Amino acid sequence: MTDKFKINIDLKVPEGIDPDAEVRGTIEINEKVLENFTIKQGTSQSYEHEIDIEEGEHVLTVNNQYSEDPKTACVIEKITFDDIDLGVIAYSGEYRPDYPEPWYTDECAAGRTPKEVWGGKDSQDGSAPMFMGWEGSYKLKFYTPLYEWLLEHL
């Protein structure tokens, strides 16, 4: 069964050293690109999409693909499904950074292996998957009917 499904995502890029620096990326559902985005430092942007979605399992992905300033981050401020703010449920998503080389190899060699996954439904350390300080991907798995998934995660 196919239903209309509304997705709202609020993204921001905090203030940094270079006011002209920007973050670029994509918003995807089930590996289908819904939006390519470019956000300048110190600004926020909201993205809204209404899509046809089949009942079953799905993945929402926000890809932080480019940051010219290494001190720039892409922050997911809010995710809303069908006008329901997911709030803390969004923290059950996972952020997987794409660490740059040779930094990553140097850190591992020095015994300081960076975290591979931030957040996740079983995260016990309070890590914040919605703050993407490195280029990488945030993924939130969910299923429809939405209300069943929401009840399971409250």
Side-chain angles (χ1 to χ4, degrees):
M1 183 169 140
T2 302
D3 285 322
K4 291 283 184 195
F5 189 75
K6 190 168 143 185
I7 300 170
N8 291 69
I9 299 177
D10 295 345
L11 300 176
K12 82 172 187 178
V13 177
E15 301 250 348
I17 295 171
D18 179 3
D20 294 325
E22 61 188 25
V23 168
R24 284 180 259 176
T26 60
I27 298 169
E28 303 175 4
I29 191 86
N30 302 329
E31 299 182 354
K32 178 185 173 197
V33 175
L34 299 177
E35 183 95 30
N36 291 298
F37 64 82
T38 301
I39 307 172
K40 294 252 185 219
Q41 276 191 9
T43 63
S44 298
Q45 186 68 42
S46 294
Y47 300 94
E48 180 178 315
H49 293 275
E50 188 168 318
I51 60 172
D52 291 322
I53 199 164
E54 295 285 330
E55 192 172 294
E57 295 183 4
H58 307 283
V59 179
L60 170 69
T61 304
V62 178
N63 292 306
N64 176 6
Q65 296 174 321
Y66 173 78
S67 299
E68 59 190 275
D69 181 345
K71 295 186 169 119
T72 303
C74 180
V75 180
I76 302 169
E77 291 191 298
K78 182 166 68 169
I79 300 174
T80 307
F81 288 166
D82 283 342
D83 297 319
I84 299 168
D85 183 348
L86 297 186
V88 297
I89 296 172
Y91 283 85
S92 65
E94 294 182 348
Y95 163 52
R96 294 180 181 269
D98 297 328
Y99 295 116
E101 288 293 348
W103 180 86
Y104 179 76
T105 301
D106 293 345
E107 289 295 296
C108 291
R112 300 182 300 259
T113 304
K115 285 180 78 164
E116 298 293 327
V117 178
W118 294 79
K121 68 179 184 134
D122 297 323
S123 177
Q124 299 295 315
D125 64 1
S127 60
M130 296 168 63
F131 183 94
M132 296 187 286
W134 300 93
E135 294 167 0
S137 297
Y138 165 87
K139 293 182 185 272
L140 178 65
K141 295 178 181 176
F142 66 98
Y143 63 84
T144 53
L146 180 64
Y147 291 101
E148 291 177 16
W149 179 77
L150 288 170
L151 285 172
E152 185 178 303
H153 288 83
L154 289 177

